[in-house]
Amino acid sequence: MTLAKTLTIGDIYDRAKSGPKVDEKEWDFKLIPKTASVLKKKYQIKMDKNQIIPTDESLMHHLFQAGLELLTTCGVYCIDTKRVIKYTEEEILASLDKAPKSAQYGEIGKNGRMIQCRKHDDKRPPIIQGGPTGAPCSEEHFMAIHQSYAQEPVVDTIVDGVLQTIKGHDPLPMTPWEIAAVKTEAIMVRAAQERAGRCGMGL
């Protein structure tokens, strides 16, 4: 079988503007749960609550097939246009086939990390991400909070928090203060990494 061409960002943008119009709550609370319930029965998926990562080959295959069918059936919801971006199975498989198997996170060197695909029985340790992960942080403590994560040897990359205020102002969306806050966050996290002796970490 010849796989379909991989999709471009332009293709996805066009579908976000032309896909079927669906109410967000309808998609979130009816379409997704209903489809997932049907696929759970179809593929006889039973999860062991005592095992976080399934290792049974048959179960893993069924989970993949169910996920693939869920995506082709429900698509991806675009909040901005209130439309569903639809994909064919062939397009999804082509994109998976062409997807990169690794990526450099941070600078090449002792503090950067190569992120690679891992299997459930992979002997390589996972990448450890540390940080407030989008949580609001005060201007006063922002730098120290991020330095405390960066100086931990077990932490490979930083997932930064957000400034609660910028020069005392609320960084409301679509305002100059939002732009100032985002720029300041990046500068301060880089400075925190430098203070911790971890220049070049992924952010």
Side-chain angles (χ1 to χ4, degrees):
M1 178 182 75
T2 303
L3 292 177
K5 77 177 186 72
T6 53
L7 296 172
T8 66
I9 190 68
D11 295 327
I12 298 169
Y13 175 75
D14 289 341
R15 293 182 192 188
K17 291 174 63 181
S18 62
K21 198 102 173 176
V22 178
D23 181 77
E24 185 177 354
K25 289 184 178 178
E26 178 79 17
W27 193 84
D28 272 340
F29 301 121
K30 291 185 179 179
L31 182 60
I32 292 292
K34 181 180 178 181
T35 307
S37 180
V38 169
L39 294 174
K40 179 183 176 183
K41 292 177 182 176
K42 177 180 177 179
Y43 290 99
Q44 300 178 339
I45 295 172
K46 294 181 180 180
M47 302 298 291
D48 182 354
K49 293 181 180 180
N50 297 316
Q51 189 172 29
I52 298 174
I53 301 173
T55 57
D56 179 81
E57 295 287 343
S58 176
L59 176 57
M60 288 190 288
H61 175 72
H62 287 167
L63 284 169
F64 179 82
Q65 290 302 128
L68 180 62
E69 192 169 335
L70 181 69
L71 181 53
T72 57
T73 302
C74 299
V76 174
Y77 192 78
C78 179
I79 296 174
D80 292 332
T81 62
K82 301 189 185 305
R83 293 181 182 274
V84 176
I85 304 169
K86 300 286 284 187
Y87 303 102
T88 66
E89 182 176 316
E90 291 74 23
E91 289 170 338
I92 296 167
L93 294 175
S95 296
L96 288 174
D97 185 59
K98 295 295 183 181
K101 304 299 184 286
S102 63
Q104 178 67 33
Y105 202 177
E107 298 176 9
I108 296 175
K110 68 174 184 176
N111 291 320
R113 295 292 182 269
M114 180 65 71
I115 298 177
Q116 298 173 303
C117 295
R118 298 174 71 253
K119 295 185 178 180
H120 69 279
D121 56 353
D122 206 309
K123 301 301 181 186
R124 295 170 297 178
I127 295 294
I128 304 297
Q129 294 188 304
T133 316
C137 303
S138 69
E139 292 183 72
E140 180 185 2
H141 299 297
F142 190 92
M143 179 89 74
I145 290 170
H146 289 80
Q147 182 182 342
S148 70
Y149 283 101
Q151 66 193 21
E152 291 297 330
V154 72
V155 174
D156 296 302
T157 68
I158 297 293
V159 186
D160 60 307
V162 296
L163 282 167
Q164 253 179 333
T165 57
I166 177 71
K167 296 183 179 179
H169 295 271
D170 188 351
L172 291 169
M174 309 297 288
T175 68
W177 293 116
E178 180 188 34
I179 298 170
V182 171
K183 290 179 67 175
T184 303
E185 286 161 9
I187 291 168
M188 291 178 75
V189 175
R190 288 303 187 202
Q193 291 173 337
E194 185 174 0
R195 284 169 57 172
R198 301 288 301 279
C199 288
M201 285 182 83
L203 168 58

mmCIF file of all heavy atoms in Angstrom, residues 154-172:
data_model
loop_
_atom_site.group_PDB
_atom_site.id
_atom_site.type_symbol
_atom_site.label_atom_id
_atom_site.label_comp_id
_atom_site.label_asym_id
_atom_site.label_seq_id
_atom_site.Cartn_x
_atom_site.Cartn_y
_atom_site.Cartn_z
ATOM 1 N N VAL A 154 19.421 15.739 38.734
ATOM 2 C CA VAL A 154 18.506 14.783 38.118
ATOM 3 C C VAL A 154 17.620 15.451 37.065
ATOM 4 O O VAL A 154 17.081 14.781 36.178
ATOM 5 C CB VAL A 154 17.633 14.092 39.186
ATOM 6 C CG1 VAL A 154 16.594 15.051 39.752
ATOM 7 C CG2 VAL A 154 16.945 12.860 38.617
ATOM 8 N N VAL A 155 17.467 16.778 37.128
ATOM 9 C CA VAL A 155 16.605 17.504 36.187
ATOM 10 C C VAL A 155 17.356 17.748 34.878
ATOM 11 O O VAL A 155 18.455 18.299 34.873
ATOM 12 C CB VAL A 155 16.131 18.840 36.798
ATOM 13 C CG1 VAL A 155 15.359 19.669 35.763
ATOM 14 C CG2 VAL A 155 15.256 18.586 38.015
ATOM 15 N N ASP A 156 16.745 17.321 33.766
ATOM 16 C CA ASP A 156 17.379 17.458 32.453
ATOM 17 C C ASP A 156 16.956 18.726 31.720
ATOM 18 O O ASP A 156 17.743 19.329 30.994
ATOM 19 C CB ASP A 156 17.023 16.256 31.569
ATOM 20 C CG ASP A 156 17.574 14.952 32.109
ATOM 21 O OD1 ASP A 156 18.804 14.864 32.284
ATOM 22 O OD2 ASP A 156 16.784 14.024 32.356
ATOM 23 N N THR A 157 15.691 19.106 31.849
ATOM 24 C CA THR A 157 15.172 20.278 31.146
ATOM 25 C C THR A 157 14.219 21.045 32.062
ATOM 26 O O THR A 157 13.715 20.495 33.044
ATOM 27 C CB THR A 157 14.397 19.870 29.869
ATOM 28 O OG1 THR A 157 13.198 19.183 30.245
ATOM 29 C CG2 THR A 157 15.224 18.947 28.979
ATOM 30 N N ILE A 158 13.971 22.294 31.716
ATOM 31 C CA ILE A 158 13.103 23.144 32.520
ATOM 32 C C ILE A 158 11.782 23.389 31.792
ATOM 33 O O ILE A 158 11.764 23.722 30.608
ATOM 34 C CB ILE A 158 13.765 24.507 32.819
ATOM 35 C CG1 ILE A 158 15.034 24.321 33.661
ATOM 36 C CG2 ILE A 158 12.792 25.449 33.519
ATOM 37 C CD1 ILE A 158 14.788 23.805 35.064
ATOM 38 N N VAL A 159 10.673 23.215 32.515
ATOM 39 C CA VAL A 159 9.355 23.623 32.033
ATOM 40 C C VAL A 159 8.946 24.790 32.931
ATOM 41 O O VAL A 159 8.595 24.596 34.085
ATOM 42 C CB VAL A 159 8.325 22.479 32.117
ATOM 43 C CG1 VAL A 159 7.024 22.907 31.465
ATOM 44 C CG2 VAL A 159 8.859 21.219 31.451
ATOM 45 N N ASP A 160 9.023 25.997 32.390
ATOM 46 C CA ASP A 160 8.934 27.180 33.242
ATOM 47 C C ASP A 160 7.518 27.522 33.671
ATOM 48 O O ASP A 160 6.536 27.091 33.077
ATOM 49 C CB ASP A 160 9.575 28.385 32.559
ATOM 50 C CG ASP A 160 8.895 28.729 31.241
ATOM 51 O OD1 ASP A 160 8.766 27.825 30.408
ATOM 52 O OD2 ASP A 160 8.497 29.891 31.064
ATOM 53 N N GLY A 161 7.461 28.330 34.712
ATOM 54 C CA GLY A 161 6.203 28.882 35.178
ATOM 55 C C GLY A 161 5.911 30.192 34.466
ATOM 56 O O GLY A 161 6.631 30.581 33.539
ATOM 57 N N VAL A 162 4.881 30.905 34.909
ATOM 58 C CA VAL A 162 4.518 32.185 34.297
ATOM 59 C C VAL A 162 4.513 33.269 35.368
ATOM 60 O O VAL A 162 4.211 33.002 36.533
ATOM 61 C CB VAL A 162 3.146 32.123 33.598
ATOM 62 C CG1 VAL A 162 3.184 31.150 32.439
ATOM 63 C CG2 VAL A 162 2.044 31.726 34.572
ATOM 64 N N LEU A 163 4.841 34.470 34.955
ATOM 65 C CA LEU A 163 4.848 35.588 35.882
ATOM 66 C C LEU A 163 3.418 35.999 36.241
ATOM 67 O O LEU A 163 2.595 36.216 35.357
ATOM 68 C CB LEU A 163 5.590 36.773 35.270
ATOM 69 C CG LEU A 163 7.122 36.689 35.288
ATOM 70 C CD1 LEU A 163 7.721 37.755 34.376
ATOM 71 C CD2 LEU A 163 7.654 36.845 36.711
ATOM 72 N N GLN A 164 3.171 36.120 37.525
ATOM 73 C CA GLN A 164 1.862 36.573 37.997
ATOM 74 C C GLN A 164 1.624 38.025 37.601
ATOM 75 O O GLN A 164 0.523 38.415 37.210
ATOM 76 C CB GLN A 164 1.784 36.460 39.523
ATOM 77 C CG GLN A 164 0.915 35.324 39.981
ATOM 78 C CD GLN A 164 0.895 35.231 41.510
ATOM 79 O OE1 GLN A 164 1.839 35.630 42.188
ATOM 80 N NE2 GLN A 164 -0.164 34.693 42.044
ATOM 81 N N THR A 165 2.685 38.801 37.713
ATOM 82 C CA THR A 165 2.635 40.211 37.333
ATOM 83 C C THR A 165 3.937 40.568 36.637
ATOM 84 O O THR A 165 4.939 39.851 36.768
ATOM 85 C CB THR A 165 2.472 41.124 38.570
ATOM 86 O OG1 THR A 165 3.565 40.866 39.479
ATOM 87 C CG2 THR A 165 1.150 40.880 39.273
ATOM 88 N N ILE A 166 3.932 41.675 35.907
ATOM 89 C CA ILE A 166 5.142 42.187 35.290
ATOM 90 C C ILE A 166 5.234 43.681 35.620
ATOM 91 O O ILE A 166 4.369 44.465 35.213
ATOM 92 C CB ILE A 166 5.167 41.933 33.756
ATOM 93 C CG1 ILE A 166 6.406 42.548 33.123
ATOM 94 C CG2 ILE A 166 3.900 42.394 33.072
ATOM 95 C CD1 ILE A 166 7.679 41.832 33.477
ATOM 96 N N LYS A 167 6.221 44.021 36.441
ATOM 97 C CA LYS A 167 6.367 45.386 36.963
ATOM 98 C C LYS A 167 5.077 45.834 37.649
ATOM 99 O O LYS A 167 4.643 46.982 37.524
ATOM 100 C CB LYS A 167 6.762 46.353 35.849
ATOM 101 C CG LYS A 167 8.126 46.040 35.249
ATOM 102 C CD LYS A 167 8.528 47.053 34.208
ATOM 103 C CE LYS A 167 9.906 46.710 33.651
ATOM 104 N NZ LYS A 167 10.335 47.663 32.594
ATOM 105 N N GLY A 168 4.450 44.891 38.328
ATOM 106 C CA GLY A 168 3.231 45.182 39.070
ATOM 107 C C GLY A 168 1.964 45.153 38.255
ATOM 108 O O GLY A 168 0.866 45.285 38.798
ATOM 109 N N HIS A 169 2.077 44.929 36.940
ATOM 110 C CA HIS A 169 0.904 44.926 36.067
ATOM 111 C C HIS A 169 0.451 43.494 35.763
ATOM 112 O O HIS A 169 1.269 42.578 35.657
ATOM 113 C CB HIS A 169 1.214 45.643 34.754
ATOM 114 C CG HIS A 169 1.499 47.105 34.922
ATOM 115 N ND1 HIS A 169 0.529 48.077 34.893
ATOM 116 C CD2 HIS A 169 2.673 47.757 35.139
ATOM 117 C CE1 HIS A 169 1.082 49.270 35.066
ATOM 118 N NE2 HIS A 169 2.390 49.100 35.219
ATOM 119 N N ASP A 170 -0.853 43.314 35.578
ATOM 120 C CA ASP A 170 -1.415 42.026 35.200
ATOM 121 C C ASP A 170 -1.131 41.788 33.714
ATOM 122 O O ASP A 170 -1.525 42.599 32.869
ATOM 123 C CB ASP A 170 -2.932 42.051 35.437
ATOM 124 C CG ASP A 170 -3.577 40.689 35.246
ATOM 125 O OD1 ASP A 170 -2.896 39.754 34.776
ATOM 126 O OD2 ASP A 170 -4.780 40.560 35.550
ATOM 127 N N PRO A 171 -0.423 40.691 33.373
ATOM 128 C CA PRO A 171 -0.104 40.431 31.959
ATOM 129 C C PRO A 171 -1.306 39.871 31.193
ATOM 130 O O PRO A 171 -1.325 38.710 30.770
ATOM 131 C CB PRO A 171 1.041 39.420 32.036
ATOM 132 C CG PRO A 171 0.812 38.686 33.309
ATOM 133 C CD PRO A 171 0.180 39.686 34.259
ATOM 134 N N LEU A 172 -2.323 40.692 31.020
ATOM 135 C CA LEU A 172 -3.540 40.257 30.347
ATOM 136 C C LEU A 172 -3.252 39.879 28.900
ATOM 137 O O LEU A 172 -2.409 40.504 28.243
ATOM 138 C CB LEU A 172 -4.587 41.384 30.381
ATOM 139 C CG LEU A 172 -5.184 41.714 31.750
ATOM 140 C CD1 LEU A 172 -5.982 43.006 31.678
ATOM 141 C CD2 LEU A 172 -6.053 40.567 32.247
#
